[in-house]
């Protein structure tokens, strides 16, 4: 074989460099064309962009804690924490600050660089936000990055979180605008966009992604990624969740998504948002090690680490550490690009 690149290889490389730019004007036909590329071409493209922007062998790890569990007034069809469904779950009030900090300390000792605190609220009360600010300050004092997800926020609450030193706010669009009302009826897509704008304008980093495997179409998946990429600024962190099917929730029994389509979704997210951390999020427990390895190749470079997500199981920490070892992956890179 000749050592010189062929014309085809040169034009492919040029094409990749040309697409490695930050854009906010993605169109459906372009994104559908990416999804439909031969798998190897898509992964080569996304991995090339990944390598241009990140250390390809480095994955950032965050740990999650549910600081207020269940009894939520919303009707999100995937969620075991909604009060409307009959999932096997014990509701718990907002945790004491000290307990949260103890849990963050443990996550730090196990190697997490960011601690994400989730609450099952439609929107918090101001006094709840005051307590969460104390949690943020305590976790930051341990030298960890902080992320919270509390539902919809007012301007004052957003400001209080920013002033309290919060690093990231997680608020997912979850799916396309068209499919949204099939899954959630108690709030609108615009409600989500409004909170995201407040968070962005306040200077807090944005963590925003979605869930696939909820019975949405190829177009819905493409439109979700377009919504995220066409925001005025790309979210610094983009969680891609595979639906965790929980007994008692309306989405239990949904036909599972082809794992290769999930990997394609990671690859397209990487191409559309070259500098964002793409997080391989919920659903890893149901994924093989080989599937996760392909997700890391396709451009995922962040995970939730620890034996539990919010209420459902995550792979055991020692399994993840062994997988990292087998793949030559190291953890780190806590900050955005
Ligand atoms: N209540 C707040 C909200 O909805 O924004 C914060 C907590 S909520 C549990 C955080 C995110 O978890 C949701 O936006 C959704 O994307 C994800 N999630 C919840 N249940 C899930 C499931 N069964 N499978 C995958 N992701 C899920
Ligand atoms: C995100 O996108 N996924 C995480 C985090 N952000 C808060 C939550 C996943 C929850 C999975 C279901 C559960 O454990 O309750
Ligand atoms: Fe409530 Fe959030 Fe679950 Fe929806 S996803 S039911 S808002 S906790």
């Amino acid at each position: 074989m000749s050592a010189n690149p062929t014309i085809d290889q040169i034009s492919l490389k040029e094409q990749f460099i040309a697409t490695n730019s930050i854009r906010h004007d993605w169109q459906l036909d372009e994104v559908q064309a990416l999804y439909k590329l031969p798998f190897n071409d898509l992964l080569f493209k996304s991995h090339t962009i990944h390598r241009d922007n990140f250390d390809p062998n480095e994955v950032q790890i965050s740990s999650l804690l549910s600081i207020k569990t269940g009894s939520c007034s919303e009707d999100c069809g995937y969620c075991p924490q909604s009060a409307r469904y009959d999932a096997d779950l014990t509701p718990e009030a907002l945790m004491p600050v000290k307990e949260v900090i103890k849990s963050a300390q443990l996550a730090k000792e196990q190697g997490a660089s960011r601690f994400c605190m989730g609450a099952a609220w439609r929107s918090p009360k101001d006094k709840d936000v005051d307590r969460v600010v104390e949690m943020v300050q305590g976790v930051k004092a341990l030298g960890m990055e902080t992320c919270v997800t509390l539902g919809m926020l007012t301007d004052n609450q957003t400001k209080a979180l920013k002033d309290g030193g919060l690093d990231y706010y997680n608020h997912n669009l979850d799916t396309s605008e068209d499919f949204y009302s099939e899954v959630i009826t108690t709030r609108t897509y615009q409600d989500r966009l409004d909170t995201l704008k407040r968070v962005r304008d306040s200077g807090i980093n944005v963590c925003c992604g979605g869930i696939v495997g909820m019975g949405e179409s190829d177009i819905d998946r493409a439109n979700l990624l377009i919504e995220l990429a066409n925001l005025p600024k790309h979210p610094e962190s983009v969680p891609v969740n595979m639906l965790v099917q929980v007994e008692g929730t309306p989405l239990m029994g949904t036909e599972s998504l082809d794992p290769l389509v999930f990997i394609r979704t990671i690859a397209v997210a990487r191409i559309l948002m070259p500098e964002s951390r793409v997080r391989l999020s919920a659903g890893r427990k149901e994924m093989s090690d080989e599937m996760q390895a392909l997700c890391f190749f396709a451009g995922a470079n962040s995970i939730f680490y620890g034996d539990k997500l919010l209420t459902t199981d995550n792979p055991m920490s020692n399994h993840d550490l062994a997988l990292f070892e087998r793949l030559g992956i190291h953890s780190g890179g806590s900050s955005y690009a």
Side-chain angles (χ1 to χ4, degrees), residues 72 76 78-81 118-122 149-151 170-172 174 187 192 210-211 241-246 282 310:
C72 182
C76 314
Y78 47 76
C79 187
Q81 303 203 64
W121 285 314
R122 170 182 166 81
T149 180
L150 315 173
N170 168 244
H171 200 65
N172 290 338
D174 280 338
R187 57 169 188 260
R192 290 309 259 191
I211 310 176
N241 296 276
M242 177 77 106
L243 173 70
V244 179
Q245 300 206 9
V246 184
L310 290 174

mmCIF file of all heavy atoms in Angstrom, residues 72 76 78-81 118-122 149-151 170-172 174 187 192 210-211 241-246 282 310, ligand 1:
data_model
loop_
_atom_site.group_PDB
_atom_site.id
_atom_site.type_symbol
_atom_site.label_atom_id
_atom_site.label_comp_id
_atom_site.label_asym_id
_atom_site.label_seq_id
_atom_site.Cartn_x
_atom_site.Cartn_y
_atom_site.Cartn_z
ATOM 1 N N CYS A 72 -43.424 14.195 42.655
ATOM 2 C CA CYS A 72 -43.362 15.345 41.744
ATOM 3 C C CYS A 72 -44.706 15.520 41.048
ATOM 4 O O CYS A 72 -45.347 14.547 40.638
ATOM 5 C CB CYS A 72 -42.253 15.129 40.716
ATOM 6 S SG CYS A 72 -42.081 16.528 39.582
ATOM 7 N N CYS A 76 -44.134 13.617 33.427
ATOM 8 C CA CYS A 76 -43.131 13.112 32.470
ATOM 9 C C CYS A 76 -43.249 11.582 32.394
ATOM 10 O O CYS A 76 -43.037 10.888 33.405
ATOM 11 C CB CYS A 76 -41.732 13.522 32.899
ATOM 12 S SG CYS A 76 -41.635 15.264 33.381
ATOM 13 N N TYR A 78 -41.609 9.167 31.374
ATOM 14 C CA TYR A 78 -40.461 8.280 31.607
ATOM 15 C C TYR A 78 -40.092 8.196 33.079
ATOM 16 O O TYR A 78 -39.281 7.361 33.466
ATOM 17 C CB TYR A 78 -39.238 8.809 30.824
ATOM 18 C CG TYR A 78 -39.009 10.312 30.995
ATOM 19 C CD1 TYR A 78 -38.454 10.832 32.155
ATOM 20 C CD2 TYR A 78 -39.394 11.214 30.005
ATOM 21 C CE1 TYR A 78 -38.284 12.190 32.338
ATOM 22 C CE2 TYR A 78 -39.223 12.585 30.174
ATOM 23 C CZ TYR A 78 -38.661 13.061 31.333
ATOM 24 O OH TYR A 78 -38.504 14.411 31.511
ATOM 25 N N CYS A 79 -40.677 9.071 33.915
ATOM 26 C CA CYS A 79 -40.040 9.328 35.213
ATOM 27 C C CYS A 79 -40.710 8.627 36.399
ATOM 28 O O CYS A 79 -41.894 8.851 36.685
ATOM 29 C CB CYS A 79 -39.997 10.830 35.468
ATOM 30 S SG CYS A 79 -39.048 11.219 36.959
ATOM 31 N N PRO A 80 -39.942 7.838 37.122
ATOM 32 C CA PRO A 80 -40.485 7.145 38.296
ATOM 33 C C PRO A 80 -40.811 8.095 39.450
ATOM 34 O O PRO A 80 -41.475 7.687 40.407
ATOM 35 C CB PRO A 80 -39.346 6.190 38.688
ATOM 36 C CG PRO A 80 -38.096 6.749 38.077
ATOM 37 C CD PRO A 80 -38.528 7.495 36.856
ATOM 38 N N GLN A 81 -40.367 9.351 39.342
ATOM 39 C CA GLN A 81 -40.559 10.279 40.462
ATOM 40 C C GLN A 81 -41.857 11.068 40.388
ATOM 41 O O GLN A 81 -42.182 11.819 41.300
ATOM 42 C CB GLN A 81 -39.377 11.237 40.548
ATOM 43 C CG GLN A 81 -38.049 10.502 40.692
ATOM 44 C CD GLN A 81 -37.015 11.380 41.325
ATOM 45 O OE1 GLN A 81 -37.159 11.784 42.487
ATOM 46 N NE2 GLN A 81 -35.979 11.701 40.585
ATOM 47 N N GLY A 118 -29.924 16.390 42.183
ATOM 48 C CA GLY A 118 -31.192 16.451 41.457
ATOM 49 C C GLY A 118 -32.376 16.459 42.401
ATOM 50 O O GLY A 118 -32.395 15.725 43.395
ATOM 51 N N ALA A 119 -33.382 17.266 42.095
ATOM 52 C CA ALA A 119 -34.578 17.331 42.938
ATOM 53 C C ALA A 119 -35.827 17.138 42.088
ATOM 54 O O ALA A 119 -35.958 17.731 41.015
ATOM 55 C CB ALA A 119 -34.644 18.676 43.655
ATOM 56 N N ALA A 120 -36.754 16.351 42.594
ATOM 57 C CA ALA A 120 -37.997 16.060 41.870
ATOM 58 C C ALA A 120 -39.013 17.172 42.107
ATOM 59 O O ALA A 120 -39.984 17.002 42.854
ATOM 60 C CB ALA A 120 -38.545 14.711 42.321
ATOM 61 N N TRP A 121 -38.755 18.300 41.480
ATOM 62 C CA TRP A 121 -39.671 19.441 41.553
ATOM 63 C C TRP A 121 -40.073 19.882 40.159
ATOM 64 O O TRP A 121 -39.269 19.789 39.220
ATOM 65 C CB TRP A 121 -38.971 20.660 42.198
ATOM 66 C CG TRP A 121 -38.774 20.585 43.667
ATOM 67 C CD1 TRP A 121 -39.674 20.202 44.602
ATOM 68 C CD2 TRP A 121 -37.571 20.945 44.380
ATOM 69 N NE1 TRP A 121 -39.122 20.309 45.857
ATOM 70 C CE2 TRP A 121 -37.850 20.763 45.751
ATOM 71 C CE3 TRP A 121 -36.322 21.426 44.003
ATOM 72 C CZ2 TRP A 121 -36.910 21.024 46.747
ATOM 73 C CZ3 TRP A 121 -35.387 21.688 44.979
ATOM 74 C CH2 TRP A 121 -35.676 21.480 46.343
ATOM 75 N N ARG A 122 -41.302 20.431 40.056
ATOM 76 C CA ARG A 122 -41.664 21.157 38.825
ATOM 77 C C ARG A 122 -40.855 22.453 38.804
ATOM 78 O O ARG A 122 -40.266 22.833 37.820
ATOM 79 C CB ARG A 122 -43.170 21.457 38.834
ATOM 80 C CG ARG A 122 -43.622 22.396 37.753
ATOM 81 C CD ARG A 122 -45.118 22.670 37.866
ATOM 82 N NE ARG A 122 -45.538 23.805 37.055
ATOM 83 C CZ ARG A 122 -45.765 23.743 35.757
ATOM 84 N NH1 ARG A 122 -45.596 22.629 35.090
ATOM 85 N NH2 ARG A 122 -46.167 24.814 35.107
ATOM 86 N N THR A 149 -30.115 20.241 39.358
ATOM 87 C CA THR A 149 -31.258 20.188 38.452
ATOM 88 C C THR A 149 -32.510 20.206 39.324
ATOM 89 O O THR A 149 -32.746 19.297 40.109
ATOM 90 C CB THR A 149 -31.165 18.979 37.486
ATOM 91 O OG1 THR A 149 -32.310 18.984 36.630
ATOM 92 C CG2 THR A 149 -31.039 17.629 38.175
ATOM 93 N N LEU A 150 -33.245 21.328 39.233
ATOM 94 C CA LEU A 150 -34.331 21.586 40.191
ATOM 95 C C LEU A 150 -35.649 21.872 39.500
ATOM 96 O O LEU A 150 -36.632 22.186 40.160
ATOM 97 C CB LEU A 150 -33.972 22.802 41.061
ATOM 98 C CG LEU A 150 -32.544 22.887 41.645
ATOM 99 C CD1 LEU A 150 -32.333 24.235 42.323
ATOM 100 C CD2 LEU A 150 -32.293 21.757 42.634
ATOM 101 N N GLY A 151 -35.681 21.815 38.162
ATOM 102 C CA GLY A 151 -36.896 22.180 37.435
ATOM 103 C C GLY A 151 -36.831 23.629 36.967
ATOM 104 O O GLY A 151 -35.740 24.197 36.843
ATOM 105 N N ASN A 170 -28.500 21.731 35.136
ATOM 106 C CA ASN A 170 -29.021 20.736 34.195
ATOM 107 C C ASN A 170 -30.519 20.936 33.994
ATOM 108 O O ASN A 170 -31.290 20.973 34.951
ATOM 109 C CB ASN A 170 -28.737 19.315 34.716
ATOM 110 C CG ASN A 170 -29.514 18.265 33.930
ATOM 111 O OD1 ASN A 170 -30.377 17.580 34.467
ATOM 112 N ND2 ASN A 170 -29.237 18.127 32.650
ATOM 113 N N HIS A 171 -30.900 21.076 32.745
ATOM 114 C CA HIS A 171 -32.312 21.250 32.404
ATOM 115 C C HIS A 171 -32.453 20.698 30.985
ATOM 116 O O HIS A 171 -32.010 21.323 30.025
ATOM 117 C CB HIS A 171 -32.640 22.746 32.463
ATOM 118 C CG HIS A 171 -34.083 23.062 32.604
ATOM 119 N ND1 HIS A 171 -34.824 22.734 33.717
ATOM 120 C CD2 HIS A 171 -34.952 23.703 31.762
ATOM 121 C CE1 HIS A 171 -36.063 23.165 33.567
ATOM 122 N NE2 HIS A 171 -36.167 23.746 32.378
ATOM 123 N N ASN A 172 -33.039 19.518 30.852
ATOM 124 C CA ASN A 172 -33.049 18.847 29.550
ATOM 125 C C ASN A 172 -34.247 19.244 28.699
ATOM 126 O O ASN A 172 -35.349 19.443 29.211
ATOM 127 C CB ASN A 172 -33.068 17.328 29.758
ATOM 128 C CG ASN A 172 -31.753 16.814 30.318
ATOM 129 O OD1 ASN A 172 -30.722 17.467 30.177
ATOM 130 N ND2 ASN A 172 -31.777 15.653 30.942
ATOM 131 N N ASP A 174 -35.106 17.100 26.530
ATOM 132 C CA ASP A 174 -35.626 15.725 26.510
ATOM 133 C C ASP A 174 -35.884 15.137 25.122
ATOM 134 O O ASP A 174 -35.476 14.032 24.829
ATOM 135 C CB ASP A 174 -36.886 15.566 27.379
ATOM 136 C CG ASP A 174 -36.514 15.425 28.846
ATOM 137 O OD1 ASP A 174 -35.368 15.035 29.128
ATOM 138 O OD2 ASP A 174 -37.346 15.733 29.709
ATOM 139 N N ARG A 187 -46.123 20.792 31.175
ATOM 140 C CA ARG A 187 -45.358 22.005 30.862
ATOM 141 C C ARG A 187 -45.050 21.976 29.372
ATOM 142 O O ARG A 187 -45.213 20.939 28.720
ATOM 143 C CB ARG A 187 -44.069 22.098 31.699
ATOM 144 C CG ARG A 187 -43.171 20.923 31.528
ATOM 145 C CD ARG A 187 -41.782 21.107 32.131
ATOM 146 N NE ARG A 187 -40.991 19.975 31.727
ATOM 147 C CZ ARG A 187 -40.732 18.910 32.489
ATOM 148 N NH1 ARG A 187 -41.153 18.851 33.726
ATOM 149 N NH2 ARG A 187 -40.014 17.917 32.017
ATOM 150 N N ARG A 192 -39.317 25.120 29.020
ATOM 151 C CA ARG A 192 -37.938 24.620 29.164
ATOM 152 C C ARG A 192 -36.962 25.648 28.583
ATOM 153 O O ARG A 192 -35.960 25.994 29.211
ATOM 154 C CB ARG A 192 -37.744 23.289 28.427
ATOM 155 C CG ARG A 192 -38.437 22.087 29.002
ATOM 156 C CD ARG A 192 -38.216 21.862 30.460
ATOM 157 N NE ARG A 192 -37.252 20.852 30.810
ATOM 158 C CZ ARG A 192 -37.102 20.382 32.064
ATOM 159 N NH1 ARG A 192 -37.867 20.811 33.056
ATOM 160 N NH2 ARG A 192 -36.191 19.491 32.338
ATOM 161 N N GLY A 210 -31.049 15.215 26.328
ATOM 162 C CA GLY A 210 -32.344 14.569 26.195
ATOM 163 C C GLY A 210 -32.288 13.082 26.420
ATOM 164 O O GLY A 210 -31.284 12.541 26.898
ATOM 165 N N ILE A 211 -33.413 12.451 26.081
ATOM 166 C CA ILE A 211 -33.558 11.000 26.255
ATOM 167 C C ILE A 211 -33.934 10.415 24.893
ATOM 168 O O ILE A 211 -34.797 10.967 24.210
ATOM 169 C CB ILE A 211 -34.710 10.665 27.241
ATOM 170 C CG1 ILE A 211 -34.582 11.472 28.534
ATOM 171 C CG2 ILE A 211 -34.754 9.181 27.534
ATOM 172 C CD1 ILE A 211 -35.747 11.242 29.509
ATOM 173 N N ASN A 241 -29.273 10.544 27.278
ATOM 174 C CA ASN A 241 -29.795 9.447 28.108
ATOM 175 C C ASN A 241 -30.482 8.424 27.214
ATOM 176 O O ASN A 241 -31.215 8.783 26.300
ATOM 177 C CB ASN A 241 -30.850 9.973 29.091
ATOM 178 C CG ASN A 241 -30.292 10.957 30.102
ATOM 179 O OD1 ASN A 241 -29.758 10.557 31.125
ATOM 180 N ND2 ASN A 241 -30.404 12.259 29.816
ATOM 181 N N MET A 242 -30.260 7.149 27.516
ATOM 182 C CA MET A 242 -31.101 6.088 26.924
ATOM 183 C C MET A 242 -32.205 5.878 27.958
ATOM 184 O O MET A 242 -31.905 5.766 29.169
ATOM 185 C CB MET A 242 -30.274 4.818 26.757
ATOM 186 C CG MET A 242 -31.058 3.651 26.222
ATOM 187 S SD MET A 242 -31.361 3.756 24.466
ATOM 188 C CE MET A 242 -30.202 2.512 23.870
ATOM 189 N N LEU A 243 -33.457 5.844 27.501
ATOM 190 C CA LEU A 243 -34.551 5.656 28.457
ATOM 191 C C LEU A 243 -34.277 4.459 29.377
ATOM 192 O O LEU A 243 -33.989 3.364 28.899
ATOM 193 C CB LEU A 243 -35.867 5.401 27.701
ATOM 194 C CG LEU A 243 -37.056 5.018 28.603
ATOM 195 C CD1 LEU A 243 -37.511 6.212 29.442
ATOM 196 C CD2 LEU A 243 -38.226 4.488 27.773
ATOM 197 N N VAL A 244 -34.377 4.699 30.696
ATOM 198 C CA VAL A 244 -34.363 3.587 31.648
ATOM 199 C C VAL A 244 -35.832 3.253 31.878
ATOM 200 O O VAL A 244 -36.588 4.094 32.375
ATOM 201 C CB VAL A 244 -33.693 3.994 32.987
ATOM 202 C CG1 VAL A 244 -33.710 2.824 33.964
ATOM 203 C CG2 VAL A 244 -32.275 4.471 32.757
ATOM 204 N N GLN A 245 -36.224 2.071 31.470
ATOM 205 C CA GLN A 245 -37.640 1.715 31.580
ATOM 206 C C GLN A 245 -37.937 1.289 33.010
ATOM 207 O O GLN A 245 -37.313 0.359 33.529
ATOM 208 C CB GLN A 245 -37.969 0.598 30.600
ATOM 209 C CG GLN A 245 -37.693 1.012 29.171
ATOM 210 C CD GLN A 245 -38.538 0.276 28.158
ATOM 211 O OE1 GLN A 245 -39.474 -0.444 28.509
ATOM 212 N NE2 GLN A 245 -38.229 0.472 26.890
ATOM 213 N N VAL A 246 -38.858 2.016 33.644
ATOM 214 C CA VAL A 246 -39.172 1.727 35.042
ATOM 215 C C VAL A 246 -40.610 1.245 35.152
ATOM 216 O O VAL A 246 -41.538 1.891 34.638
ATOM 217 C CB VAL A 246 -38.949 2.977 35.939
ATOM 218 C CG1 VAL A 246 -39.190 2.635 37.407
ATOM 219 C CG2 VAL A 246 -37.550 3.553 35.744
ATOM 220 N N ALA A 282 -27.897 8.250 31.406
ATOM 221 C CA ALA A 282 -28.677 7.103 31.916
ATOM 222 C C ALA A 282 -28.703 5.970 30.900
ATOM 223 O O ALA A 282 -28.572 6.192 29.701
ATOM 224 C CB ALA A 282 -30.101 7.568 32.216
ATOM 225 N N LEU A 310 -30.319 8.753 39.813
ATOM 226 C CA LEU A 310 -31.113 9.420 40.852
ATOM 227 C C LEU A 310 -31.848 8.375 41.672
ATOM 228 O O LEU A 310 -31.663 8.258 42.881
ATOM 229 C CB LEU A 310 -32.087 10.420 40.213
ATOM 230 C CG LEU A 310 -31.426 11.660 39.602
ATOM 231 C CD1 LEU A 310 -32.444 12.524 38.869
ATOM 232 C CD2 LEU A 310 -30.716 12.501 40.666
HETATM 233 N N1 LIG B 1 -37.347 17.679 38.039
HETATM 234 C C1 LIG B 1 -36.281 18.277 37.341
HETATM 235 C C2 LIG B 1 -36.500 18.293 35.848
HETATM 236 O O1 LIG B 1 -37.309 17.552 35.353
HETATM 237 O O2 LIG B 1 -35.810 19.068 35.185
HETATM 238 C C3 LIG B 1 -34.943 17.638 37.642
HETATM 239 C C4 LIG B 1 -34.848 16.141 37.821
HETATM 240 S S1 LIG B 1 -35.256 15.135 36.389
HETATM 241 C C5 LIG B 1 -35.293 13.530 37.084
HETATM 242 C C6 LIG B 1 -33.765 15.205 35.426
HETATM 243 C C7 LIG B 1 -33.732 14.492 34.106
HETATM 244 O O3 LIG B 1 -33.608 13.100 34.313
HETATM 245 C C8 LIG B 1 -34.936 14.603 33.209
HETATM 246 O O4 LIG B 1 -34.981 15.799 32.505
HETATM 247 C C9 LIG B 1 -34.749 13.425 32.271
HETATM 248 O O5 LIG B 1 -34.045 13.850 31.127
HETATM 249 C C10 LIG B 1 -33.905 12.452 33.093
HETATM 250 N N2 LIG B 1 -34.644 11.209 33.371
HETATM 251 C C11 LIG B 1 -35.622 11.039 34.285
HETATM 252 N N3 LIG B 1 -36.093 9.781 34.259
HETATM 253 C C12 LIG B 1 -35.389 9.126 33.306
HETATM 254 C C13 LIG B 1 -35.438 7.801 32.801
HETATM 255 N N4 LIG B 1 -36.295 6.894 33.255
HETATM 256 N N5 LIG B 1 -34.561 7.451 31.830
HETATM 257 C C14 LIG B 1 -33.686 8.382 31.348
HETATM 258 N N6 LIG B 1 -33.617 9.652 31.790
HETATM 259 C C15 LIG B 1 -34.461 10.026 32.742
#
